[in-house]
Amino acid sequence: MEVTSDQLDTNSVDLTKTQFIKKNTKIAIIGAGFGGLATAIQLLKRGIKDFVILEKATDVGGTWRENQYPGAACDVQSHMYSLSFAPKSDWTKRYAEAPEIFQYIQDLIQEYDLKKFIQFDTEVISTRFDEQAHTWEISIKNQSALHSQFLIFASGPLHIPQIPNIKGIEKFKGEVFHSSSWNHAYDLNGKRVASIGTGGSAIQYIPEIAPKTKQLYVFQRTAAWVIPRDERAYNALDKKLFAQYDWFRKLHRARLYWSNESRVVPIVKPQMMRLGQKLAEAFIRFQVKDKEIAKKLTPDYTMGCKRILVSNRYFPTFNRKNVELVTDSIQEITENAIVTKDGQVREIDCLIYGTGFITDPRIYLKDFKCYGENGIELKEAWKEGAESYYGISTKGFPNLFQLLGPNTVLGHNSVIFMIESQVNYILQLIEAVEKSKTKAIVVKDVVQEEFNRKIQEKFAGTVWQSGCVSWYQQEGGKNFSLWPSYTWKYWLETKNANLADYRFLN
Ligand code: N01
């Protein structure tokens, strides 16, 4: 049964599943991960209830719902990787594991009573700006369309798994899965397993699964810089102090924030990265007994060019007799084996892709189409690379806002900090439309163009442009994903939206 928002009585229904379908709303938010939920909470704090979160899955949590592979954890400290206005004093350790972060998100849902604003099983297939009505028409799979005045993309940049196109893969008869859709029902005990990729996800699950497997082959295309994790469990006294003295918790958070920010210095001044790189090389030699293997695990690009990973347990995995690091490239897959270019055949029962996510800016939104002013399609507007204003507003797309949009992902600090700055900024824009009694707001072309020129200038000479190929860049080397500076600068620049940068539409 379809009901409109006016007919909805949220107290009388079981809200574990979508029980309502809205047709009109002021604000539509796509995605019930950290970004969507942070936006919803701030709207409620301002007394705005006419909004809906559209979620394609049957639960909240985004990244932390999908990435539940063994050992999944956050490599940003939990006291930083959480919402500033929803502190948690009893984090069990400095770097929380995925289930604890997922629970934190569930707790937010309870605390702010958010479930009644979420439409689950709702996959947006296209969005179109109506230039007469100044509203967005949101087409949804197997449902009627939703109309909203404002539209917020909180769908996250990393959620479409990248599956390599390997010759013969269709013949393989064993178990196959990607790290983000881990098959927990499949027992790895005693199995011969191949894992492809050595990025942030793989280095977390490899140490976990190695002791279970009969044989683990780790296929490495590019070695990753992995540095020690300053792991620490919070004891009962820490938690008590955090709970009792909020200034103490804030002080701890501030210390973590500034220690993360200090990492920007060697990023923008690569010569300062040299010492860090020497220490990281020594870390590999210290942890890996076999010199040849240690050499293969040592990257040949400047540290920091790709995301620096943190683990105390990844390198020692290669001291195990049942683990082999394979650096020859894969030739093909047969029904029960992987064949490398040197002709070696390794029989396997299971293949795990730790190969990351699709990040090409032109397919940022996969099959999803978004039409703005004059019918221009977002992918078309971004065909030379994704560009926006502070990752939030895009020229030609009125009343459309994005969280963690182009050039606002981080390699050195918590993206939750960026999300909070963005939500604050978006709410100011919405408020400005309301106050001015106009219908829509859109960033001026010249403002976005000038902003992007300056952003790209900032990348020159940084460690990110030092010659490696990373998902931060599109073809040709343009960095479309990272914020190239300190996050406090981002906060300062977005704290008060400059409305002169925008056009109001009536
Ligand atoms: O993916 P990735 P991820 N043949 O893109 C390799 C972050 N994260 O799922 O470098 C062979 O990092 C690829 O090799 P190469 C994480 O930091 C955060 O691990 O392209 N290999 C690489 O080794 C990242 O930003 C946390 O040569 C292929 C790997 O697969 C993002 O999430 C935790 C290949 C992909 O690494 C995604 O991480 C975990 C092919 N065809 C992850 N294609 C936190 O704690 C790709 N590879 C916050």
Side-chain angles (χ1 to χ4, degrees):
M1 182 187 69
E2 280 190 11
V3 290
T4 65
S5 56
D6 322 331
Q7 293 167 295
L8 173 68
D9 174 2
T10 50
N11 293 322
S12 64
V13 289
D14 169 13
L15 288 164
T16 53
K17 282 208 159 164
T18 294
Q19 298 285 343
F20 65 95
I21 296 174
K22 275 198 165 202
K23 289 189 178 153
N24 290 290
T25 189
K26 183 176 274 300
I27 304 163
I29 303 166
I30 304 178
F34 259 116
L37 300 178
T39 311
I41 295 168
Q42 290 301 345
L43 285 170
L44 290 175
K45 283 187 179 214
R46 285 163 176 75
I48 302 169
K49 292 189 180 161
D50 190 5
F51 70 88
V52 64
I53 301 179
L54 309 173
E55 171 55 57
K56 70 174 181 207
T58 53
D59 205 349
V60 299
T63 298
W64 301 100
R65 182 197 62 243
E66 287 185 3
N67 289 281
Q68 304 216 352
Y69 54 78
C74 188
D75 57 17
V76 177
Q77 310 88 342
S78 315
H79 276 276
M80 261 321 293
Y81 196 84
S82 42
L83 295 164
S84 62
F85 54 81
K88 175 173 154 66
S89 54
D90 60 350
W91 286 110
T92 56
K93 43 178 139 167
R94 186 170 280 168
Y95 298 94
E97 287 170 24
E100 194 175 1
I101 302 171
F102 190 56
Q103 185 57 50
Y104 170 77
I105 295 170
Q106 299 286 344
D107 293 346
L108 290 176
I109 298 288
Q110 289 298 323
E111 189 182 339
Y112 292 93
D113 199 11
L114 296 176
K115 224 162 198 169
K116 63 186 176 204
F117 295 99
I118 308 170
Q119 234 177 259
F120 292 106
D121 283 316
T122 299
E123 187 178 340
V124 174
I125 47 178
S126 76
T127 56
R128 184 181 288 276
F129 185 66
D130 178 334
E131 290 184 69
Q132 253 70 53
H134 295 100
T135 54
W136 282 92
E137 184 184 62
I138 302 163
S139 302
I140 297 166
K141 198 170 170 183
N142 303 327
Q143 284 177 28
S144 50
L146 166 71
H147 294 89
S148 71
Q149 186 180 359
F150 301 99
L151 174 60
I152 301 177
F153 286 173
S155 39
L158 297 177
H159 61 113
I160 306 162
Q162 171 160 272
I163 306 295
N165 186 14
I166 304 172
K167 189 178 153 205
I169 183 64
E170 68 291 346
K171 295 184 204 146
F172 183 60
K173 294 209 169 117
E175 182 66 24
V176 185
F177 50 87
H178 185 268
S179 59
S180 66
S181 48
W182 197 273
N183 182 359
H184 289 277
Y186 183 77
D187 185 4
L188 290 168
N189 277 298
K191 301 285 181 359
R192 297 162 301 176
V193 178
S195 170
I196 304 179
T198 52
S201 306
I203 69 126
Q204 291 184 336
Y205 68 70
I206 284 168
E208 295 293 323
I209 66 169
K212 292 184 183 162
T213 60
K214 182 176 174 198
Q215 176 69 43
L216 176 63
Y217 301 111
V218 177
F219 286 83
Q220 170 187 281
R221 184 165 72 179
T222 313
W225 284 109
V226 184
I227 59 169
R229 197 176 175 90
D230 54 338
E231 199 72 84
R232 159 160 133 65
Y234 291 115
N235 60 32
L237 180 64
D238 295 325
K239 292 181 204 168
K240 200 173 161 190
L241 291 174
F242 290 143
Q244 242 167 28
Y245 305 106
D246 204 40
W247 62 265
F248 184 66
R249 181 197 57 76
K250 281 184 178 156
L251 192 69
H252 182 60
R253 184 176 154 100
R255 191 185 74 68
L256 297 173
Y257 175 80
W258 289 108
S259 82
N260 293 348
E261 281 299 275
S262 69
R263 297 179 194 167
V264 174
V265 179
I267 285 171
V268 295
K269 295 196 187 331
Q271 62 279 19
M272 290 184 69
M273 194 59 98
R274 276 191 212 124
L275 173 65
Q277 190 166 314
K278 287 267 167 262
L279 292 172
E281 282 167 8
F283 180 57
I284 302 174
R285 288 196 301 272
F286 176 70
Q287 287 211 312
V288 181
K289 288 185 195 142
D290 185 299
K291 282 191 176 143
E292 271 313 299
I293 299 174
K295 215 165 139 192
K296 285 184 182 175
L297 286 166
T298 307
D300 59 3
Y301 58 87
T302 309
M303 189 160 94
C305 189
K306 286 170 184 258
R307 190 181 169 106
I308 300 173
L309 309 177
V310 285
S311 173
N312 299 329
R313 297 177 54 216
Y314 175 63
F315 291 134
T317 308
F318 296 95
N319 296 330
R320 298 182 63 91
K321 286 203 165 59
N322 68 332
V323 176
E324 183 188 346
L325 177 70
V326 185
T327 52
D328 288 307
S329 48
I330 298 171
Q331 168 88 23
E332 66 172 317
I333 296 187
T334 66
E335 62 178 45
N336 66 346
I338 294 192
V339 185
T340 40
K341 287 246 160 72
D342 58 359
Q344 216 173 314
V345 178
R346 292 174 178 86
E347 290 192 356
I348 54 167
D349 305 300
C350 173
L351 171 60
I352 304 173
Y353 292 119
T355 44
F357 300 85
I358 294 179
T359 54
D360 185 319
R362 282 146 298 190
I363 41 176
Y364 213 70
L365 303 157
K366 211 194 168 200
D367 304 325
F368 176 116
K369 297 235 186 260
C370 173
Y371 300 92
E373 285 178 315
N374 304 315
I376 185 152
E377 212 269 301
L378 189 55
K379 261 180 243 171
E380 187 57 26
W382 283 353
K383 69 174 188 286
E384 304 296 333
E387 281 190 358
S388 68
Y389 189 47
Y390 287 110
I392 299 172
S393 310
T394 306
K395 64 178 186 180
F397 292 82
N399 284 2
L400 172 70
F401 311 119
Q402 198 172 356
L403 297 176
L404 298 183
N407 290 111
T408 58
V409 172
L410 300 176
H412 75 281
N413 210 338
S414 172
V415 286
I416 310 288
F417 181 87
M418 300 298 270
I419 287 174
E420 285 196 49
S421 304
Q422 293 172 340
V423 171
N424 164 58
Y425 186 96
I426 292 168
L427 296 191
Q428 288 180 52
L429 297 186
I430 293 176
E431 222 170 84
V433 174
E434 307 274 275
K435 272 197 186 145
S436 64
K437 303 224 178 335
T438 55
K439 290 185 178 148
I441 190 165
V442 63
V443 66
K444 292 175 181 167
D445 291 12
V446 63
V447 170
Q448 178 175 315
E449 283 152 18
E450 183 56 12
F451 174 78
N452 279 277
R453 196 187 54 73
K454 285 192 185 145
I455 284 282
Q456 290 306 318
E457 265 176 22
K458 286 195 182 145
F459 281 108
T462 65
V463 78
W464 296 306
Q465 306 299 104
S466 61
C468 71
V469 176
S470 81
W471 70 258
Y472 295 149
Q473 304 148 324
Q474 63 186 63
E475 246 171 71
K478 178 178 168 181
N479 191 317
F480 70 96
S481 53
L482 288 175
W483 173 247
S485 181
Y486 297 96
T487 62
W488 58 264
K489 282 197 175 173
Y490 185 85
W491 172 80
L492 208 60
E493 288 173 29
T494 54
K495 195 167 175 279
N496 297 305
N498 182 1
L499 299 178
D501 292 340
Y502 286 84
R503 280 191 288 130
F504 286 85
L505 309 178
N506 236 326

